[in-house]
Structures are given as C-alpha cells and as structure tokens.
Amino acid sequence: MRYEIRVDGQMSKTLTEAFPELESFVVAHQTVLFGPVLDEAHLYGLLARFQSLGLHVAEMRRLPE
C-alpha cells in the first residue's frame, strides 16, 4: 500500500527526517509526505508519530497501486 499524508504548514528538515520511510515536498501551506505503508499497525504508528510531534494531519489517502 502507498499513502499520501498532507500536514498543515511547512515541516522543517528535522521533522521530515522523523519519517525516513516517506518522501516529502511542500505545496501552498502544506507538507505532503508519501510512500509505502506496510500494514495497519505501521499506519497507526505513523499517525502516532505525527501527533507526538504536534503536527496536524489535514488529509490522508491511499494511493492507487
């Protein structure tokens, strides 16, 4: 599975490095992270990481294979 996760604001390099399994780029007022998600546990782990870093996930979607 591949996911796209949009976070409000521009994440710093240090914050994006907290997600080494995901690639990222910046669009207007958001950082977009995308990449493989192994399973549901991995997805929940990513969401917990966003929350623990104080990041607001604006949108999350599964990408077509």
Side-chain angles (χ1 to χ4, degrees), residues 44-59:
Y44 284 118
L46 287 170
L47 292 173
R49 217 178 315 162
F50 283 111
Q51 184 178 28
S52 70
L53 293 169
L55 299 168
H56 178 257
V57 174
E59 183 181 348

